[in-house]
Amino acid sequence: MKIQGRMFIWLSVFILAVAIVYGVWSKEPVGTTALFLAFGLSVMIGFYLAFTARRMDALAQDNKEADVADESGEVGFFAPHSWQPLSLGIGGALAFLSIAIGWWLMYFSLPLILVGLWGWVFEFYRGENQNQ
C-alpha cells in the first residue's frame, strides 16, 4: 500500500504542474478546472492509501525481496452471481434516457432502480446465499 500511496502523491504533483502550465498557456477555464479537480482527487486517494498503509502490516508488495508466492492465499470474498446489477443498469439507462425523451419515462425507471437497489442490498439476507 505504501507504493500505491506514493504513486498517487507523485501523480498529483504531476497533474498540478500540468494544470498550472495548461491554465497559464491556454487561459481556458473548463480544462483548467478539470485538471485541478483531478489533482484534488489524486491527493485524496494518495492520502488515503498512505494513511491506511501506516496502520497496516507490511504487505509483500512493500518488500523488495519478496517473491510472487509470498502474497498467495485467499484474496477475499466475492459475491456469487446476481441479477440485481442488470435491473439497476436497465433502470439507470431508462432514467438517463428520460432526460432526452421525456420525464414521463422516469415513472418506469424508478421502480426498476428501487427493486434492483433493494435486492442488491438484501441479497445475502434471504435465498440460497443467506449464510455467506
Side-chain angles (χ1 to χ4, degrees):
M1 298 272 300
K2 293 177 184 176
I3 299 295
Q4 288 93 343
R6 289 184 191 140
M7 285 173 54
F8 269 99
I9 295 297
W10 282 109
L11 177 68
S12 65
V13 169
F14 172 75
I15 292 174
L16 178 64
V18 168
I20 291 170
V21 169
Y22 183 82
V24 169
W25 194 1
S26 72
K27 296 180 180 36
E28 194 258 323
V30 176
T32 306
T33 303
L35 284 170
F36 277 112
L37 289 174
F39 162 72
L41 290 173
S42 296
V43 167
M44 285 193 299
I45 294 171
F47 175 74
Y48 171 77
L49 289 174
F51 180 74
T52 305
R54 275 187 254 131
R55 299 185 316 164
M56 289 179 55
D57 294 333
L59 300 173
Q61 61 192 357
D62 296 326
N63 184 6
K64 293 184 182 194
E65 302 294 324
D67 292 329
V68 174
D70 290 341
E71 198 64 42
S72 65
E74 185 176 334
V75 178
F77 173 74
F78 298 98
H81 66 282
S82 176
W83 290 97
Q84 309 311 323
L86 181 65
S87 174
L88 282 171
I90 292 172
L94 283 175
F96 280 105
L97 193 62
S98 72
I99 296 171
I101 293 178
W103 292 102
W104 58 269
L105 196 56
M106 191 69 76
Y107 293 117
F108 297 105
S109 66
L110 191 61
L112 282 172
I113 291 172
L114 291 177
V115 166
L117 190 61
W118 181 269
W120 211 356
V121 168
F122 293 111
E123 73 180 340
F124 293 110
Y125 291 98
R126 58 186 159 81
E128 64 184 34
N129 302 321
Q130 183 174 5
N131 297 323
Q132 292 188 6

